[in-house]
């Protein structure tokens, strides 16, 4: 067996690419092979806190993934027929729209690493028969001000690839030379024109520094879930009177309860509910009462950087409380809790 | 620019001091309780529409 002992390997421009230490450790100057290469959260579409997505929802499907300018689509989790090594993906269908497009918004503090560099966008994709030959491509857009995506300017377009009914890996290097992306990035994927009923299947989305598409960086479900909690957190009842929050009655009508988040949220979050007040109950002693209006956000307790660690919310049930009594906000009983939830959203 | 369809908005108050603390809004047909936090994207969108004269936030019920 032949051996080469080497302390350093240079790239073609003479700069250090790989350094090997006497202790056997190896460092890569461009960090293409180390962990945490992927700037995308939930790139393998494993986390679906909100569940499947219908045309009326217009927003998020798999955590962190959002349709844009495109209310005519529906999405569901794909759990079979995936590329080797993947357990989840998305099935994204055109109900009325003629283009399928969605995005993930990346915070400026994260995207800054791509300033003035090459970025490589990759994902696994296939289409239904009606998408044969239709193109798919990736683009990158920059937020107008720090973490404000109300206006996005597209700064780089990836090459176009024709879809087929077999999984292919899309790979495109986007040139961000001279571009400041520290306000935050919108990482977008879009098809060309398609017919109603067309379905796009996709997983393994990765955005990384450099001009090479490295293998998809698999992260554990727990890691991805924790990363998603920064932007959205939803509690689901698992039985009668599942407790969401603890607190006390401020008077006969109102209770003040706190929800503690498993991960500090990006900002004070808005409250996401079923939209039906009497899907929620509040406890006074041994009795439970339906809310008469949906819970409202009261105060957020934040860390110095503005992340929200817990939210105080108000629950109202007319004339059923005893001021000063402890209470809990909970789900319904008798099986009527199925499908209910209480969520918190601090997306970009 | 993507604009969300906000059809109503009303302040809600903290019962301890009566100050405005959130906005109850109907957005794309669904009710949300939105904190008064400029870093919250939905609050920022509400205020953008208010400044553009497209939305009025009602005072809290007394």
């Amino acid at each position: 067996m032949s051996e080469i002992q080497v302390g350093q390997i240079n790239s073609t421009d003479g700069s250090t690419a790989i350094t090997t230490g006497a202790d056997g450790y190896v460092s890569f100057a461009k960090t293409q092979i180390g962990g945490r290469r992927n700037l995308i959260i939930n790139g393998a579409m494993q986390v679906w806190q909100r569940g499947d997505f219908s045309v009326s929802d217009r927003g998020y499907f798999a955590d962190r993934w959002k349709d844009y300018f495109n209310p005519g689509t529906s999405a569901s989790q794909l759990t079979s027929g995936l590329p080797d090594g993947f357990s989840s993906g998305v099935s994204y269908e055109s109900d009325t729209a003629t283009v399928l497009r969605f995005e993930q918004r990346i915070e400026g503090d994260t995207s800054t690493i791509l300033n003035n560099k090459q970025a490589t966008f990759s994902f696994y994709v296939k289409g239904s028969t009606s998408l044969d030959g239709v193109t798919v491509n990736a683009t990158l857009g920059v937020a107008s001000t720090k973490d404000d995506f109300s206006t996005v300017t597209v700064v780089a377009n990836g090459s176009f690839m024709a879809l087929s009914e077999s999984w292919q890996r899309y790979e495109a290097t986007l040139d961000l030379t001279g571009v400041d992306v520290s306000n935050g990035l919108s990482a977008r994927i879009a098809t060309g024109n398609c017919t109603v009923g067309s379905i796009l299947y996709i997983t393994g989305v990765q955005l990384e520094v450099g001009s090479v598409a490295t293998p998809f960086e698999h992260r554990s479900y727990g890691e991805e879930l924790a990363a998603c909690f920064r932007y959205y957190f939803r509690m689901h009842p698992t039985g009668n009177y599942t407790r969401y929050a603890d607190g006390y009655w401020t008077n006969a009508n109102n209770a003040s309860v706190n929800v503690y988040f498993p991960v500090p949220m990006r900002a004070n979050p808005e409250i996401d509910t079923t939209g039906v007040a009497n899907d929620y109950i509040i406890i006074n002693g041994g009795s439970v009462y339906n809310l008469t209006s949906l819970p409202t956000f009261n105060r957020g307790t934040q860390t110095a950087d503005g992340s929200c660690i817990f939210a105080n919310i108000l629950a109202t049930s007319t004339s059923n409380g005893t001021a000063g009594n402890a209470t809990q906000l909970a789900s319904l009983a008798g099986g009527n809790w199925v499908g209910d939830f209480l969520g918190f959203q601090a997306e970009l | 620019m993507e604009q969300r369809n906000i059809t109503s908005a009303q302040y809600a108050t903290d019962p301890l001091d009566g100050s405005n603390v959130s906005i109850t809004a109907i957005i794309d047909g669904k009710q949300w309780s939105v904190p008064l936090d400029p870093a919250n994207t939905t609050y920022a969108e509400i205020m953008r529409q208010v400044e553009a004269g497209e939305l009025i936030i009602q005072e809290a019920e007394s």
Side-chain angles (χ1 to χ4, degrees), chain A residues 243-287:
Chain A
R243 270 61 164 186
Y244 294 123
D246 298 322
Y248 71 102
W249 287 93
T250 57
N251 54 41
N253 298 322
N254 298 304
S256 166
V257 297
N258 292 333
V259 174
Y260 294 85
F261 303 125
V263 167
M265 299 196 73
R266 186 188 65 82
N268 283 341
E270 63 253 36
I271 300 178
D272 188 8
T273 66
T274 62
V276 179
N278 62 14
D279 281 345
Y280 303 88
I281 60 105
I282 193 87
I283 297 169
N284 186 35
S287 301

Side-chain angles (χ1 to χ4, degrees), chain A:
Chain A
M1 185 176 75
S2 60
E3 294 179 1
I4 299 175
Q5 288 192 342
V6 63
Q8 180 174 311
I9 297 174
N10 292 345
S11 61
T12 52
D13 67 0
S15 63
T16 302
I18 301 172
T19 305
T20 62
D23 56 1
Y25 283 93
V26 178
S27 66
F28 297 86
K30 303 295 185 183
T31 64
Q32 279 283 13
I33 300 180
R36 292 286 176 269
R37 285 169 288 123
N38 193 359
L39 274 63
I40 297 291
I41 295 172
N42 201 23
M45 320 279 191
Q46 299 173 85
V47 182
W48 290 69
Q49 290 191 79
R50 298 173 180 86
D52 291 347
F53 164 86
S54 69
V55 65
S56 60
D57 291 331
R58 191 178 182 212
Y60 293 86
F61 45 102
D63 274 53
R64 303 293 295 119
W65 290 104
K66 178 181 184 298
D67 72 333
Y68 68 97
F69 299 113
N70 204 27
T73 54
S74 59
S76 58
Q77 187 174 15
L78 184 67
T79 56
S80 62
L82 288 148
D84 190 36
F86 288 89
S87 62
S88 187
V90 61
S91 168
Y92 196 61
E93 179 170 357
S94 168
D95 295 316
T96 59
T98 54
V99 175
L100 293 165
R101 48 189 172 185
F102 51 99
E103 67 173 342
Q104 181 167 136
R105 294 172 174 177
I106 301 170
E107 288 184 69
D109 287 342
T110 301
S111 63
T112 299
I113 193 172
L114 293 176
N115 273 351
N116 200 33
K117 291 189 178 72
Q118 303 274 309
T120 297
F121 209 138
S122 58
F123 49 84
Y124 293 88
V125 64
K126 70 175 184 177
S128 57
T129 305
S130 57
L131 283 176
D132 268 347
V134 173
T135 59
V136 65
N137 86 312
T139 59
L140 293 174
V142 177
S144 53
T145 55
K146 182 79 179 291
D147 295 336
D148 178 356
F149 290 81
S150 57
T151 302
V152 172
T153 302
V154 173
V155 292
N157 288 288
S159 55
F160 291 86
M161 184 181 81
L163 289 163
S164 75
E165 293 175 72
S166 300
W167 288 105
Q168 303 175 80
R169 194 179 195 207
Y170 174 93
E171 298 177 358
T173 297
L174 293 89
D175 187 6
L176 296 175
T177 304
V179 179
D180 183 341
V181 298
S182 53
N183 279 341
L185 267 180
S186 168
R188 297 176 168 183
I189 297 170
T191 67
N193 287 334
C194 59
T195 56
V196 171
S198 297
I199 305 174
L200 187 74
Y201 305 94
I202 193 163
T203 191
V205 185
Q206 182 155 285
L207 177 65
E208 58 193 310
V209 180
S211 59
V212 178
T214 65
F216 180 76
E217 180 191 353
H218 287 278
R219 297 194 282 246
S220 72
Y221 182 84
E223 287 177 282
E224 293 287 14
L225 180 63
C228 294
F229 279 159
R230 175 168 170 77
Y231 306 92
Y232 189 82
F233 168 58
R234 178 180 284 197
M235 294 179 280
H236 290 271
T238 53
N240 293 344
Y241 303 133
T242 297
R243 270 61 164 186
Y244 294 123
D246 298 322
Y248 71 102
W249 287 93
T250 57
N251 54 41
N253 298 322
N254 298 304
S256 166
V257 297
N258 292 333
V259 174
Y260 294 85
F261 303 125
V263 167
M265 299 196 73
R266 186 188 65 82
N268 283 341
E270 63 253 36
I271 300 178
D272 188 8
T273 66
T274 62
V276 179
N278 62 14
D279 281 345
Y280 303 88
I281 60 105
I282 193 87
I283 297 169
N284 186 35
S287 301
V288 299
Y289 301 98
N290 292 101
L291 298 197
T292 50
S293 59
L294 288 168
T296 59
F297 185 93
N298 192 41
R299 303 277 185 182
T301 298
Q302 297 178 305
T303 56
D305 67 355
S307 299
C308 185
I309 57 174
F310 76 90
N312 176 250
I313 64 179
L314 298 179
T316 299
S317 181
T318 306
S319 300
N320 289 316
T322 304
N325 269 11
T327 189
Q328 291 174 314
L329 180 65
S331 69
L332 299 175
N336 295 315
W337 47 267
V338 175
D340 290 351
F341 65 89
L342 183 64
F344 297 85
Q345 179 164 284
E347 295 281 2
L348 289 162

